[in-house]
Amino acid sequence: MGLLQHLVEAVLRPGLYAAPLDVKRGEDTLYQPDLLVVLRKHADRLRETHIKGAPD
């Protein structure tokens, strides 16, 4: 939780997401990291149910 707090301060919401959130890297590649960051400039990767492509 301490790491999460530091990341929230550094990234500023809404760019920080905690599990469960799927990351779809390809048609057959889906994973669920414990913690991930998507920068505002890559907000187009966000979908309603997952992130399409690599998070930052």
mmCIF file of all heavy atoms in Angstrom:
data_model
loop_
_atom_site.group_PDB
_atom_site.id
_atom_site.type_symbol
_atom_site.label_atom_id
_atom_site.label_comp_id
_atom_site.label_asym_id
_atom_site.label_seq_id
_atom_site.Cartn_x
_atom_site.Cartn_y
_atom_site.Cartn_z
ATOM 1 N N MET A 1 0.824 -1.196 0.000
ATOM 2 C CA MET A 1 0.000 0.000 0.000
ATOM 3 C C MET A 1 0.865 1.255 0.000
ATOM 4 O O MET A 1 0.460 2.260 -0.560
ATOM 5 C CB MET A 1 -0.946 -0.018 1.206
ATOM 6 C CG MET A 1 -2.034 -1.089 1.137
ATOM 7 S SD MET A 1 -3.007 -1.108 -0.383
ATOM 8 C CE MET A 1 -3.901 0.402 -0.242
ATOM 9 N N GLY A 2 2.030 1.168 0.630
ATOM 10 C CA GLY A 2 2.928 2.313 0.623
ATOM 11 C C GLY A 2 3.396 2.655 -0.785
ATOM 12 O O GLY A 2 3.453 3.819 -1.169
ATOM 13 N N LEU A 3 3.714 1.626 -1.569
ATOM 14 C CA LEU A 3 4.120 1.825 -2.955
ATOM 15 C C LEU A 3 2.979 2.443 -3.752
ATOM 16 O O LEU A 3 3.185 3.375 -4.540
ATOM 17 C CB LEU A 3 4.535 0.497 -3.584
ATOM 18 C CG LEU A 3 4.903 0.540 -5.061
ATOM 19 C CD1 LEU A 3 6.064 1.484 -5.316
ATOM 20 C CD2 LEU A 3 5.221 -0.868 -5.552
ATOM 21 N N LEU A 4 1.774 1.967 -3.539
ATOM 22 C CA LEU A 4 0.614 2.511 -4.220
ATOM 23 C C LEU A 4 0.458 4.001 -3.912
ATOM 24 O O LEU A 4 0.223 4.808 -4.810
ATOM 25 C CB LEU A 4 -0.647 1.749 -3.816
ATOM 26 C CG LEU A 4 -1.949 2.214 -4.450
ATOM 27 C CD1 LEU A 4 -1.914 2.085 -5.960
ATOM 28 C CD2 LEU A 4 -3.123 1.445 -3.874
ATOM 29 N N GLN A 5 0.623 4.382 -2.673
ATOM 30 C CA GLN A 5 0.504 5.796 -2.287
ATOM 31 C C GLN A 5 1.535 6.652 -3.006
ATOM 32 O O GLN A 5 1.225 7.729 -3.510
ATOM 33 C CB GLN A 5 0.632 5.949 -0.772
ATOM 34 C CG GLN A 5 0.523 7.383 -0.305
ATOM 35 C CD GLN A 5 -0.820 8.010 -0.632
ATOM 36 O OE1 GLN A 5 -1.843 7.350 -0.617
ATOM 37 N NE2 GLN A 5 -0.812 9.290 -0.956
ATOM 38 N N HIS A 6 2.768 6.168 -3.081
ATOM 39 C CA HIS A 6 3.816 6.930 -3.778
ATOM 40 C C HIS A 6 3.497 7.059 -5.268
ATOM 41 O O HIS A 6 3.711 8.117 -5.857
ATOM 42 C CB HIS A 6 5.179 6.268 -3.593
ATOM 43 C CG HIS A 6 5.732 6.451 -2.229
ATOM 44 N ND1 HIS A 6 6.197 7.663 -1.763
ATOM 45 C CD2 HIS A 6 5.892 5.575 -1.209
ATOM 46 C CE1 HIS A 6 6.614 7.526 -0.523
ATOM 47 N NE2 HIS A 6 6.430 6.263 -0.167
ATOM 48 N N LEU A 7 2.998 5.998 -5.864
ATOM 49 C CA LEU A 7 2.660 6.050 -7.281
ATOM 50 C C LEU A 7 1.490 6.986 -7.539
ATOM 51 O O LEU A 7 1.478 7.704 -8.532
ATOM 52 C CB LEU A 7 2.356 4.649 -7.806
ATOM 53 C CG LEU A 7 3.579 3.753 -7.974
ATOM 54 C CD1 LEU A 7 3.151 2.326 -8.278
ATOM 55 C CD2 LEU A 7 4.492 4.276 -9.060
ATOM 56 N N VAL A 8 0.508 6.985 -6.659
ATOM 57 C CA VAL A 8 -0.631 7.894 -6.810
ATOM 58 C C VAL A 8 -0.133 9.335 -6.821
ATOM 59 O O VAL A 8 -0.535 10.144 -7.660
ATOM 60 C CB VAL A 8 -1.674 7.684 -5.689
ATOM 61 C CG1 VAL A 8 -2.684 8.816 -5.667
ATOM 62 C CG2 VAL A 8 -2.382 6.351 -5.859
ATOM 63 N N GLU A 9 0.766 9.657 -5.929
ATOM 64 C CA GLU A 9 1.303 11.016 -5.870
ATOM 65 C C GLU A 9 2.107 11.357 -7.119
ATOM 66 O O GLU A 9 2.064 12.483 -7.604
ATOM 67 C CB GLU A 9 2.151 11.177 -4.621
ATOM 68 C CG GLU A 9 1.347 11.106 -3.343
ATOM 69 C CD GLU A 9 2.221 11.041 -2.096
ATOM 70 O OE1 GLU A 9 3.448 11.188 -2.207
ATOM 71 O OE2 GLU A 9 1.653 10.834 -1.012
ATOM 72 N N ALA A 10 2.852 10.388 -7.647
ATOM 73 C CA ALA A 10 3.719 10.644 -8.803
ATOM 74 C C ALA A 10 2.932 10.694 -10.111
ATOM 75 O O ALA A 10 3.214 11.519 -10.975
ATOM 76 C CB ALA A 10 4.787 9.558 -8.889
ATOM 77 N N VAL A 11 1.958 9.850 -10.262
ATOM 78 C CA VAL A 11 1.258 9.722 -11.534
ATOM 79 C C VAL A 11 -0.005 10.566 -11.573
ATOM 80 O O VAL A 11 -0.388 11.068 -12.622
ATOM 81 C CB VAL A 11 0.905 8.239 -11.799
ATOM 82 C CG1 VAL A 11 0.098 8.097 -13.068
ATOM 83 C CG2 VAL A 11 2.161 7.405 -11.870
ATOM 84 N N LEU A 12 -0.655 10.738 -10.470
ATOM 85 C CA LEU A 12 -1.931 11.427 -10.353
ATOM 86 C C LEU A 12 -3.046 10.636 -11.035
ATOM 87 O O LEU A 12 -2.967 10.303 -12.199
ATOM 88 C CB LEU A 12 -1.890 12.847 -10.916
ATOM 89 C CG LEU A 12 -0.873 13.776 -10.265
ATOM 90 C CD1 LEU A 12 -0.878 15.120 -10.974
ATOM 91 C CD2 LEU A 12 -1.179 13.958 -8.797
ATOM 92 N N ARG A 13 -4.044 10.337 -10.288
ATOM 93 C CA ARG A 13 -5.177 9.602 -10.835
ATOM 94 C C ARG A 13 -5.805 10.420 -11.946
ATOM 95 O O ARG A 13 -5.704 11.625 -11.929
ATOM 96 C CB ARG A 13 -6.196 9.330 -9.729
ATOM 97 C CG ARG A 13 -5.679 8.295 -8.784
ATOM 98 C CD ARG A 13 -6.685 7.994 -7.723
ATOM 99 N NE ARG A 13 -6.043 7.126 -6.766
ATOM 100 C CZ ARG A 13 -6.607 6.070 -6.260
ATOM 101 N NH1 ARG A 13 -7.826 5.763 -6.568
ATOM 102 N NH2 ARG A 13 -5.962 5.315 -5.410
ATOM 103 N N PRO A 14 -6.429 9.853 -12.942
ATOM 104 C CA PRO A 14 -6.870 8.479 -13.032
ATOM 105 C C PRO A 14 -5.900 7.557 -13.749
ATOM 106 O O PRO A 14 -6.315 6.565 -14.326
ATOM 107 C CB PRO A 14 -8.166 8.594 -13.819
ATOM 108 C CG PRO A 14 -7.894 9.698 -14.769
ATOM 109 C CD PRO A 14 -6.996 10.651 -14.009
ATOM 110 N N GLY A 15 -4.610 7.810 -13.760
ATOM 111 C CA GLY A 15 -3.676 6.985 -14.519
ATOM 112 C C GLY A 15 -3.115 5.798 -13.789
ATOM 113 O O GLY A 15 -2.279 5.093 -14.335
ATOM 114 N N LEU A 16 -3.533 5.533 -12.573
ATOM 115 C CA LEU A 16 -3.000 4.427 -11.792
ATOM 116 C C LEU A 16 -4.129 3.455 -11.495
ATOM 117 O O LEU A 16 -5.192 3.860 -11.055
ATOM 118 C CB LEU A 16 -2.419 4.965 -10.481
ATOM 119 C CG LEU A 16 -1.758 3.960 -9.567
ATOM 120 C CD1 LEU A 16 -0.502 3.401 -10.218
ATOM 121 C CD2 LEU A 16 -1.422 4.610 -8.249
ATOM 122 N N TYR A 17 -3.876 2.191 -11.775
ATOM 123 C CA TYR A 17 -4.911 1.178 -11.619
ATOM 124 C C TYR A 17 -4.382 0.009 -10.812
ATOM 125 O O TYR A 17 -3.242 -0.394 -10.966
ATOM 126 C CB TYR A 17 -5.372 0.675 -12.994
ATOM 127 C CG TYR A 17 -5.865 1.793 -13.856
ATOM 128 C CD1 TYR A 17 -5.000 2.471 -14.692
ATOM 129 C CD2 TYR A 17 -7.185 2.211 -13.793
ATOM 130 C CE1 TYR A 17 -5.440 3.531 -15.466
ATOM 131 C CE2 TYR A 17 -7.635 3.265 -14.552
ATOM 132 C CZ TYR A 17 -6.760 3.917 -15.392
ATOM 133 O OH TYR A 17 -7.190 4.966 -16.133
ATOM 134 N N ALA A 18 -5.226 -0.537 -9.969
ATOM 135 C CA ALA A 18 -4.874 -1.717 -9.183
ATOM 136 C C ALA A 18 -5.690 -2.895 -9.695
ATOM 137 O O ALA A 18 -6.748 -2.729 -10.300
ATOM 138 C CB ALA A 18 -5.163 -1.472 -7.703
ATOM 139 N N ALA A 19 -5.177 -4.090 -9.451
ATOM 140 C CA ALA A 19 -5.862 -5.316 -9.877
ATOM 141 C C ALA A 19 -7.221 -5.407 -9.204
ATOM 142 O O ALA A 19 -7.415 -4.883 -8.123
ATOM 143 C CB ALA A 19 -5.008 -6.524 -9.528
ATOM 144 N N PRO A 20 -8.197 -6.038 -9.797
ATOM 145 C CA PRO A 20 -8.086 -6.758 -11.070
ATOM 146 C C PRO A 20 -8.383 -5.848 -12.258
ATOM 147 O O PRO A 20 -9.380 -5.144 -12.284
ATOM 148 C CB PRO A 20 -9.145 -7.842 -10.961
ATOM 149 C CG PRO A 20 -10.207 -7.234 -10.093
ATOM 150 C CD PRO A 20 -9.480 -6.301 -9.139
ATOM 151 N N LEU A 21 -7.490 -5.839 -13.210
ATOM 152 C CA LEU A 21 -7.674 -5.143 -14.476
ATOM 153 C C LEU A 21 -6.865 -5.897 -15.525
ATOM 154 O O LEU A 21 -5.650 -6.072 -15.373
ATOM 155 C CB LEU A 21 -7.213 -3.695 -14.388
ATOM 156 C CG LEU A 21 -7.401 -2.865 -15.645
ATOM 157 C CD1 LEU A 21 -8.887 -2.764 -16.014
ATOM 158 C CD2 LEU A 21 -6.834 -1.476 -15.470
ATOM 159 N N ASP A 22 -7.523 -6.363 -16.552
ATOM 160 C CA ASP A 22 -6.858 -7.151 -17.586
ATOM 161 C C ASP A 22 -6.075 -6.258 -18.527
ATOM 162 O O ASP A 22 -6.487 -5.142 -18.844
ATOM 163 C CB ASP A 22 -7.881 -7.931 -18.412
ATOM 164 C CG ASP A 22 -8.576 -9.022 -17.619
ATOM 165 O OD1 ASP A 22 -7.978 -9.491 -16.625
ATOM 166 O OD2 ASP A 22 -9.690 -9.400 -17.980
ATOM 167 N N VAL A 23 -4.947 -6.787 -18.998
ATOM 168 C CA VAL A 23 -4.139 -6.151 -20.031
ATOM 169 C C VAL A 23 -4.112 -7.124 -21.202
ATOM 170 O O VAL A 23 -3.687 -8.269 -21.054
ATOM 171 C CB VAL A 23 -2.709 -5.859 -19.540
ATOM 172 C CG1 VAL A 23 -1.863 -5.318 -20.675
ATOM 173 C CG2 VAL A 23 -2.734 -4.881 -18.378
ATOM 174 N N LYS A 24 -4.585 -6.664 -22.335
ATOM 175 C CA LYS A 24 -4.637 -7.510 -23.522
ATOM 176 C C LYS A 24 -3.514 -7.094 -24.455
ATOM 177 O O LYS A 24 -3.534 -6.002 -25.013
ATOM 178 C CB LYS A 24 -5.995 -7.374 -24.211
ATOM 179 C CG LYS A 24 -6.218 -8.375 -25.304
ATOM 180 C CD LYS A 24 -7.656 -8.313 -25.799
ATOM 181 C CE LYS A 24 -7.898 -9.403 -26.817
ATOM 182 N NZ LYS A 24 -9.290 -9.396 -27.281
ATOM 183 N N ARG A 25 -2.519 -7.968 -24.599
ATOM 184 C CA ARG A 25 -1.359 -7.672 -25.439
ATOM 185 C C ARG A 25 -1.493 -8.255 -26.834
ATOM 186 O O ARG A 25 -0.712 -7.962 -27.699
ATOM 187 C CB ARG A 25 -0.092 -8.223 -24.779
ATOM 188 C CG ARG A 25 0.272 -7.593 -23.466
ATOM 189 C CD ARG A 25 0.826 -6.196 -23.642
ATOM 190 N NE ARG A 25 1.886 -6.106 -24.612
ATOM 191 C CZ ARG A 25 3.167 -6.122 -24.343
ATOM 192 N NH1 ARG A 25 3.580 -6.249 -23.104
ATOM 193 N NH2 ARG A 25 4.056 -6.028 -25.300
ATOM 194 N N GLY A 26 -2.448 -9.099 -27.047
ATOM 195 C CA GLY A 26 -2.685 -9.718 -28.346
ATOM 196 C C GLY A 26 -3.957 -10.526 -28.261
ATOM 197 O O GLY A 26 -4.597 -10.596 -27.207
ATOM 198 N N GLU A 27 -4.326 -11.152 -29.362
ATOM 199 C CA GLU A 27 -5.552 -11.946 -29.378
ATOM 200 C C GLU A 27 -5.510 -13.079 -28.363
ATOM 201 O O GLU A 27 -6.525 -13.447 -27.798
ATOM 202 C CB GLU A 27 -5.809 -12.494 -30.778
ATOM 203 C CG GLU A 27 -6.198 -11.418 -31.767
ATOM 204 C CD GLU A 27 -7.444 -10.646 -31.334
ATOM 205 O OE1 GLU A 27 -8.428 -11.270 -30.916
ATOM 206 O OE2 GLU A 27 -7.414 -9.402 -31.418
ATOM 207 N N ASP A 28 -4.333 -13.668 -28.140
ATOM 208 C CA ASP A 28 -4.209 -14.814 -27.243
ATOM 209 C C ASP A 28 -3.403 -14.511 -25.988
ATOM 210 O O ASP A 28 -3.020 -15.421 -25.262
ATOM 211 C CB ASP A 28 -3.547 -15.987 -27.980
ATOM 212 C CG ASP A 28 -4.373 -16.458 -29.161
ATOM 213 O OD1 ASP A 28 -5.609 -16.351 -29.088
ATOM 214 O OD2 ASP A 28 -3.792 -16.919 -30.159
ATOM 215 N N THR A 29 -3.102 -13.242 -25.740
ATOM 216 C CA THR A 29 -2.254 -12.882 -24.602
ATOM 217 C C THR A 29 -2.993 -11.910 -23.691
ATOM 218 O O THR A 29 -3.201 -10.753 -24.038
ATOM 219 C CB THR A 29 -0.938 -12.245 -25.086
ATOM 220 O OG1 THR A 29 -0.326 -13.104 -26.036
ATOM 221 C CG2 THR A 29 0.001 -12.026 -23.913
ATOM 222 N N LEU A 30 -3.376 -12.410 -22.534
ATOM 223 C CA LEU A 30 -4.097 -11.620 -21.553
ATOM 224 C C LEU A 30 -3.456 -11.859 -20.188
ATOM 225 O O LEU A 30 -3.200 -13.004 -19.824
ATOM 226 C CB LEU A 30 -5.571 -12.052 -21.528
ATOM 227 C CG LEU A 30 -6.512 -11.263 -20.636
ATOM 228 C CD1 LEU A 30 -6.755 -9.879 -21.216
ATOM 229 C CD2 LEU A 30 -7.830 -12.002 -20.509
ATOM 230 N N TYR A 31 -3.139 -10.801 -19.484
ATOM 231 C CA TYR A 31 -2.606 -10.961 -18.143
ATOM 232 C C TYR A 31 -3.184 -9.907 -17.227
ATOM 233 O O TYR A 31 -3.829 -8.967 -17.660
ATOM 234 C CB TYR A 31 -1.073 -10.981 -18.137
ATOM 235 C CG TYR A 31 -0.408 -9.685 -18.544
ATOM 236 C CD1 TYR A 31 0.037 -8.788 -17.585
ATOM 237 C CD2 TYR A 31 -0.203 -9.368 -19.869
ATOM 238 C CE1 TYR A 31 0.654 -7.610 -17.946
ATOM 239 C CE2 TYR A 31 0.412 -8.188 -20.242
ATOM 240 C CZ TYR A 31 0.841 -7.322 -19.271
ATOM 241 O OH TYR A 31 1.450 -6.155 -19.636
ATOM 242 N N GLN A 32 -2.946 -10.074 -15.935
ATOM 243 C CA GLN A 32 -3.541 -9.202 -14.927
ATOM 244 C C GLN A 32 -2.461 -8.830 -13.908
ATOM 245 O O GLN A 32 -2.287 -9.502 -12.899
ATOM 246 C CB GLN A 32 -4.693 -9.939 -14.259
ATOM 247 C CG GLN A 32 -5.693 -9.029 -13.615
ATOM 248 C CD GLN A 32 -6.877 -9.820 -13.114
ATOM 249 O OE1 GLN A 32 -6.780 -10.448 -12.071
ATOM 250 N NE2 GLN A 32 -7.971 -9.802 -13.842
ATOM 251 N N PRO A 33 -1.719 -7.747 -14.169
ATOM 252 C CA PRO A 33 -0.677 -7.341 -13.227
ATOM 253 C C PRO A 33 -1.281 -6.849 -11.909
ATOM 254 O O PRO A 33 -2.446 -6.466 -11.851
ATOM 255 C CB PRO A 33 0.049 -6.212 -13.955
ATOM 256 C CG PRO A 33 -0.921 -5.705 -14.949
ATOM 257 C CD PRO A 33 -1.817 -6.848 -15.299
ATOM 258 N N ASP A 34 -0.482 -6.869 -10.860
ATOM 259 C CA ASP A 34 -0.935 -6.398 -9.556
ATOM 260 C C ASP A 34 -1.118 -4.888 -9.533
ATOM 261 O O ASP A 34 -1.983 -4.370 -8.839
ATOM 262 C CB ASP A 34 0.055 -6.800 -8.470
ATOM 263 C CG ASP A 34 0.108 -8.293 -8.270
ATOM 264 O OD1 ASP A 34 -0.936 -8.947 -8.452
ATOM 265 O OD2 ASP A 34 1.187 -8.812 -7.954
ATOM 266 N N LEU A 35 -0.297 -4.195 -10.295
ATOM 267 C CA LEU A 35 -0.318 -2.737 -10.316
ATOM 268 C C LEU A 35 0.177 -2.287 -11.678
ATOM 269 O O LEU A 35 1.113 -2.875 -12.220
ATOM 270 C CB LEU A 35 0.606 -2.206 -9.217
ATOM 271 C CG LEU A 35 0.563 -0.745 -8.887
ATOM 272 C CD1 LEU A 35 -0.783 -0.370 -8.281
ATOM 273 C CD2 LEU A 35 1.668 -0.405 -7.909
ATOM 274 N N LEU A 36 -0.457 -1.276 -12.259
ATOM 275 C CA LEU A 36 0.003 -0.783 -13.545
ATOM 276 C C LEU A 36 -0.285 0.693 -13.682
ATOM 277 O O LEU A 36 -1.100 1.251 -12.960
ATOM 278 C CB LEU A 36 -0.630 -1.567 -14.692
ATOM 279 C CG LEU A 36 -2.147 -1.521 -14.808
ATOM 280 C CD1 LEU A 36 -2.564 -0.522 -15.868
ATOM 281 C CD2 LEU A 36 -2.670 -2.890 -15.143
ATOM 282 N N VAL A 37 0.423 1.319 -14.623
ATOM 283 C CA VAL A 37 0.292 2.750 -14.866
ATOM 284 C C VAL A 37 -0.003 2.959 -16.348
ATOM 285 O O VAL A 37 0.615 2.339 -17.203
ATOM 286 C CB VAL A 37 1.598 3.497 -14.502
ATOM 287 C CG1 VAL A 37 1.521 4.959 -14.913
ATOM 288 C CG2 VAL A 37 1.891 3.361 -13.027
ATOM 289 N N VAL A 38 -0.953 3.831 -16.639
ATOM 290 C CA VAL A 38 -1.222 4.281 -18.003
ATOM 291 C C VAL A 38 -1.155 5.806 -17.972
ATOM 292 O O VAL A 38 -1.943 6.450 -17.280
ATOM 293 C CB VAL A 38 -2.606 3.806 -18.501
ATOM 294 C CG1 VAL A 38 -2.875 4.372 -19.881
ATOM 295 C CG2 VAL A 38 -2.692 2.295 -18.508
ATOM 296 N N LEU A 39 -0.207 6.357 -18.685
ATOM 297 C CA LEU A 39 -0.063 7.807 -18.731
ATOM 298 C C LEU A 39 -1.203 8.425 -19.524
ATOM 299 O O LEU A 39 -1.785 7.791 -20.411
ATOM 300 C CB LEU A 39 1.274 8.185 -19.364
ATOM 301 C CG LEU A 39 2.521 7.680 -18.632
ATOM 302 C CD1 LEU A 39 3.772 8.049 -19.412
ATOM 303 C CD2 LEU A 39 2.584 8.215 -17.217
ATOM 304 N N ARG A 40 -1.512 9.668 -19.212
ATOM 305 C CA ARG A 40 -2.624 10.350 -19.878
ATOM 306 C C ARG A 40 -2.452 10.355 -21.399
ATOM 307 O O ARG A 40 -3.419 10.254 -22.139
ATOM 308 C CB ARG A 40 -2.752 11.776 -19.367
ATOM 309 C CG ARG A 40 -3.213 11.843 -17.934
ATOM 310 C CD ARG A 40 -3.304 13.314 -17.480
ATOM 311 N NE ARG A 40 -3.287 13.413 -16.039
ATOM 312 C CZ ARG A 40 -4.358 13.306 -15.283
ATOM 313 N NH1 ARG A 40 -5.526 13.088 -15.828
ATOM 314 N NH2 ARG A 40 -4.263 13.401 -13.966
ATOM 315 N N LYS A 41 -1.217 10.489 -21.862
ATOM 316 C CA LYS A 41 -0.996 10.526 -23.310
ATOM 317 C C LYS A 41 -1.313 9.190 -23.980
ATOM 318 O O LYS A 41 -1.420 9.125 -25.199
ATOM 319 C CB LYS A 41 0.423 10.976 -23.632
ATOM 320 C CG LYS A 41 1.507 10.012 -23.200
ATOM 321 C CD LYS A 41 2.864 10.596 -23.535
ATOM 322 C CE LYS A 41 3.977 9.653 -23.117
ATOM 323 N NZ LYS A 41 5.287 10.216 -23.460
ATOM 324 N N HIS A 42 -1.461 8.118 -23.188
ATOM 325 C CA HIS A 42 -1.815 6.808 -23.725
ATOM 326 C C HIS A 42 -3.212 6.377 -23.286
ATOM 327 O O HIS A 42 -3.533 5.184 -23.284
ATOM 328 C CB HIS A 42 -0.786 5.758 -23.291
ATOM 329 C CG HIS A 42 0.572 6.038 -23.827
ATOM 330 N ND1 HIS A 42 1.703 5.937 -23.062
ATOM 331 C CD2 HIS A 42 0.977 6.457 -25.056
ATOM 332 C CE1 HIS A 42 2.755 6.260 -23.788
ATOM 333 N NE2 HIS A 42 2.334 6.583 -25.003
ATOM 334 N N ALA A 43 -4.046 7.321 -22.958
ATOM 335 C CA ALA A 43 -5.400 7.009 -22.485
ATOM 336 C C ALA A 43 -6.225 6.277 -23.543
ATOM 337 O O ALA A 43 -7.190 5.597 -23.211
ATOM 338 C CB ALA A 43 -6.113 8.288 -22.060
ATOM 339 N N ASP A 44 -5.822 6.364 -24.807
ATOM 340 C CA ASP A 44 -6.542 5.656 -25.863
ATOM 341 C C ASP A 44 -6.423 4.142 -25.730
ATOM 342 O O ASP A 44 -7.166 3.398 -26.354
ATOM 343 C CB ASP A 44 -6.040 6.101 -27.243
ATOM 344 C CG ASP A 44 -4.569 5.819 -27.460
ATOM 345 O OD1 ASP A 44 -3.774 5.992 -26.502
ATOM 346 O OD2 ASP A 44 -4.195 5.447 -28.583
ATOM 347 N N ARG A 45 -5.531 3.664 -24.887
ATOM 348 C CA ARG A 45 -5.379 2.227 -24.636
ATOM 349 C C ARG A 45 -6.440 1.685 -23.677
ATOM 350 O O ARG A 45 -6.637 0.487 -23.585
ATOM 351 C CB ARG A 45 -4.002 1.943 -24.036
ATOM 352 C CG ARG A 45 -2.871 2.322 -24.949
ATOM 353 C CD ARG A 45 -1.549 2.104 -24.289
ATOM 354 N NE ARG A 45 -0.472 2.610 -25.129
ATOM 355 C CZ ARG A 45 0.785 2.654 -24.779
ATOM 356 N NH1 ARG A 45 1.154 2.205 -23.592
ATOM 357 N NH2 ARG A 45 1.693 3.127 -25.595
ATOM 358 N N LEU A 46 -7.098 2.559 -22.961
ATOM 359 C CA LEU A 46 -8.087 2.144 -21.966
ATOM 360 C C LEU A 46 -9.394 1.733 -22.630
ATOM 361 O O LEU A 46 -9.920 2.445 -23.480
ATOM 362 C CB LEU A 46 -8.357 3.277 -20.979
ATOM 363 C CG LEU A 46 -7.172 3.749 -20.158
ATOM 364 C CD1 LEU A 46 -7.550 4.994 -19.377
ATOM 365 C CD2 LEU A 46 -6.699 2.653 -19.235
ATOM 366 N N ARG A 47 -9.874 0.572 -22.237
ATOM 367 C CA ARG A 47 -11.176 0.080 -22.678
ATOM 368 C C ARG A 47 -12.046 -0.106 -21.446
ATOM 369 O O ARG A 47 -11.559 -0.036 -20.321
ATOM 370 C CB ARG A 47 -11.040 -1.256 -23.418
ATOM 371 C CG ARG A 47 -10.115 -1.214 -24.625
ATOM 372 C CD ARG A 47 -10.676 -0.287 -25.703
ATOM 373 N NE ARG A 47 -9.932 -0.354 -26.942
ATOM 374 C CZ ARG A 47 -8.894 0.414 -27.239
ATOM 375 N NH1 ARG A 47 -8.452 1.303 -26.372
ATOM 376 N NH2 ARG A 47 -8.287 0.306 -28.406
ATOM 377 N N GLU A 48 -13.313 -0.345 -21.636
ATOM 378 C CA GLU A 48 -14.220 -0.505 -20.505
ATOM 379 C C GLU A 48 -13.849 -1.702 -19.635
ATOM 380 O O GLU A 48 -13.966 -1.646 -18.414
ATOM 381 C CB GLU A 48 -15.653 -0.652 -21.000
ATOM 382 C CG GLU A 48 -16.669 -0.616 -19.885
ATOM 383 C CD GLU A 48 -18.080 -0.576 -20.410
ATOM 384 O OE1 GLU A 48 -18.335 0.102 -21.420
ATOM 385 O OE2 GLU A 48 -18.936 -1.226 -19.786
ATOM 386 N N THR A 49 -13.379 -2.783 -20.250
ATOM 387 C CA THR A 49 -13.096 -4.013 -19.495
ATOM 388 C C THR A 49 -11.626 -4.374 -19.403
ATOM 389 O O THR A 49 -11.266 -5.311 -18.706
ATOM 390 C CB THR A 49 -13.830 -5.207 -20.133
ATOM 391 O OG1 THR A 49 -13.383 -5.354 -21.486
ATOM 392 C CG2 THR A 49 -15.331 -4.992 -20.099
ATOM 393 N N HIS A 50 -10.752 -3.644 -20.125
ATOM 394 C CA HIS A 50 -9.333 -3.997 -20.136
ATOM 395 C C HIS A 50 -8.501 -2.846 -20.703
ATOM 396 O O HIS A 50 -9.039 -1.830 -21.113
ATOM 397 C CB HIS A 50 -9.107 -5.267 -20.955
ATOM 398 C CG HIS A 50 -9.426 -5.117 -22.411
ATOM 399 N ND1 HIS A 50 -10.713 -5.173 -22.890
ATOM 400 C CD2 HIS A 50 -8.633 -4.881 -23.484
ATOM 401 C CE1 HIS A 50 -10.697 -5.000 -24.207
ATOM 402 N NE2 HIS A 50 -9.452 -4.814 -24.583
ATOM 403 N N ILE A 51 -7.199 -3.055 -20.717
ATOM 404 C CA ILE A 51 -6.277 -2.139 -21.368
ATOM 405 C C ILE A 51 -5.771 -2.853 -22.605
ATOM 406 O O ILE A 51 -5.347 -4.006 -22.547
ATOM 407 C CB ILE A 51 -5.107 -1.758 -20.444
ATOM 408 C CG1 ILE A 51 -5.632 -0.948 -19.280
ATOM 409 C CG2 ILE A 51 -4.039 -1.002 -21.209
ATOM 410 C CD1 ILE A 51 -4.591 -0.613 -18.254
ATOM 411 N N LYS A 52 -5.841 -2.185 -23.752
ATOM 412 C CA LYS A 52 -5.372 -2.787 -25.004
ATOM 413 C C LYS A 52 -3.959 -2.297 -25.271
ATOM 414 O O LYS A 52 -3.732 -1.111 -25.472
ATOM 415 C CB LYS A 52 -6.293 -2.405 -26.157
ATOM 416 C CG LYS A 52 -5.900 -3.062 -27.455
ATOM 417 C CD LYS A 52 -6.869 -2.737 -28.548
ATOM 418 C CE LYS A 52 -6.442 -3.427 -29.831
ATOM 419 N NZ LYS A 52 -7.334 -3.078 -30.929
ATOM 420 N N GLY A 53 -3.021 -3.215 -25.229
ATOM 421 C CA GLY A 53 -1.626 -2.869 -25.429
ATOM 422 C C GLY A 53 -0.892 -2.796 -24.105
ATOM 423 O O GLY A 53 -1.451 -3.054 -23.047
ATOM 424 N N ALA A 54 0.362 -2.438 -24.198
ATOM 425 C CA ALA A 54 1.213 -2.402 -23.013
ATOM 426 C C ALA A 54 0.940 -1.165 -22.161
ATOM 427 O O ALA A 54 0.824 -0.069 -22.684
ATOM 428 C CB ALA A 54 2.671 -2.430 -23.423
ATOM 429 N N PRO A 55 0.819 -1.349 -20.857
ATOM 430 C CA PRO A 55 0.746 -0.170 -19.973
ATOM 431 C C PRO A 55 2.123 0.489 -19.923
ATOM 432 O O PRO A 55 3.109 -0.061 -20.376
ATOM 433 C CB PRO A 55 0.341 -0.751 -18.628
ATOM 434 C CG PRO A 55 0.747 -2.178 -18.681
ATOM 435 C CD PRO A 55 0.721 -2.595 -20.111
ATOM 436 N N ASP A 56 2.174 1.682 -19.368
ATOM 437 C CA ASP A 56 3.444 2.380 -19.254
ATOM 438 C C ASP A 56 4.173 1.862 -18.039
ATOM 439 O O ASP A 56 5.265 1.733 -17.894
ATOM 440 C CB ASP A 56 3.213 3.885 -19.130
ATOM 441 C CG ASP A 56 2.557 4.437 -20.383
ATOM 442 O OD1 ASP A 56 3.126 4.308 -21.465
ATOM 443 O OD2 ASP A 56 1.453 4.979 -20.268
#
